[in-house]
Amino acid sequence: MHLFAENLAVEISTYYRNLALGHGVVPKVFTLVNGEGDQYLFFIDDLPFKSEDEQNQFLTYIVQAHEAVCYARGTLVIVEKNQQFIEFAVIDRDDVQAIVCSAELTRDMDDKPIGLSEFEKTLAKKSSIIFGSLYEPIKLSDEKIEDFESLWLEMKSKILHRSMGL
């Protein structure tokens, strides 16, 4: 597993803790890191797609176009109103295992996040993760590629970009 994947798991844990407890929000996030250590992070809800399939095509395109060595996707999982978890998975290009992290979110009577357990980290087969196949080649029309490139450029102002350092 790339060191970037391990570092990304720690970073996303901290990111979600700060967002949930500091700002009271738990967005769906997507982030990737390429071989040079460039990281891109954005909210999945900012994507204009109506279908999950088209959303996954876009994410696959971005992972492959940016030559990601790892990527992560996270969200809020509601089991019951009083049982909620923040979960994310980090997928490494060269490993059959994925890092899966989960932490229980506690809310007050006004439904504001007030507590988050430590993220428990486990390994799972990459193939068992719903979005674990973004490295698999897909065929896209030239028009679709142009649309995805245009969308990426439009989103630039909303994308957090930084270098993780080597």
Side-chain angles (χ1 to χ4, degrees):
M1 188 159 295
H2 284 104
L3 182 59
F4 286 144
E6 294 281 344
N7 288 342
L8 196 57
V10 171
E11 182 179 288
I12 296 298
S13 298
T14 302
Y15 182 75
Y16 265 125
R17 183 169 303 284
N18 290 338
L19 281 176
L21 301 179
H23 301 282
V25 296
V26 184
K28 294 177 186 174
V29 299
F30 185 85
T31 185
L32 67 87
V33 178
N34 66 19
E36 287 78 49
D38 286 320
Q39 179 185 9
Y40 301 92
L41 182 141
F42 57 90
F43 296 156
I44 292 175
D45 292 334
D46 287 344
L47 297 175
F49 305 117
K50 291 179 176 70
S51 78
E52 184 91 14
D53 187 47
E54 193 171 24
Q55 183 182 87
N56 286 334
Q57 286 179 356
F58 175 74
L59 296 176
T60 299
Y61 170 77
I62 294 302
V63 162
Q64 294 175 16
H66 287 278
E67 300 176 350
V69 294
C70 61
Y71 64 86
R73 185 172 178 175
T75 193
L76 176 66
V77 176
I78 300 172
V79 179
E80 293 179 13
K81 184 170 173 41
N82 62 348
Q83 192 174 22
Q84 300 180 3
F85 296 88
I86 297 175
E87 294 183 346
F88 65 88
V90 179
I91 311 294
D92 189 298
R93 178 182 62 203
D94 298 326
D95 202 321
V96 296
Q97 300 283 341
I99 301 170
V100 179
C101 298
S102 179
E104 189 164 7
L105 182 66
T106 307
R107 295 183 182 268
D108 65 11
M109 300 301 256
D110 296 326
D111 208 31
K112 293 173 61 176
I114 57 169
L116 188 63
S117 68
E118 290 299 315
F119 277 90
E120 291 183 27
K121 181 171 84 170
T122 59
L123 294 178
K125 290 225 179 277
K126 182 168 41 178
S127 59
S128 70
I129 307 297
I130 293 171
F131 53 86
S133 61
L134 300 185
Y135 289 115
E136 293 176 14
I138 59 169
K139 296 230 186 280
L140 299 173
S141 68
D142 290 341
E143 182 181 334
K144 184 65 86 175
I145 290 170
E146 285 179 27
D147 290 347
F148 287 168
E149 286 175 356
S150 293
L151 176 58
W152 183 255
L153 290 174
E154 283 176 37
M155 291 177 56
K156 281 277 192 193
S157 65
K158 296 180 180 181
I159 297 171
L160 171 68
H161 174 234
R162 69 178 191 94
S163 177
M164 291 184 86
L166 297 174

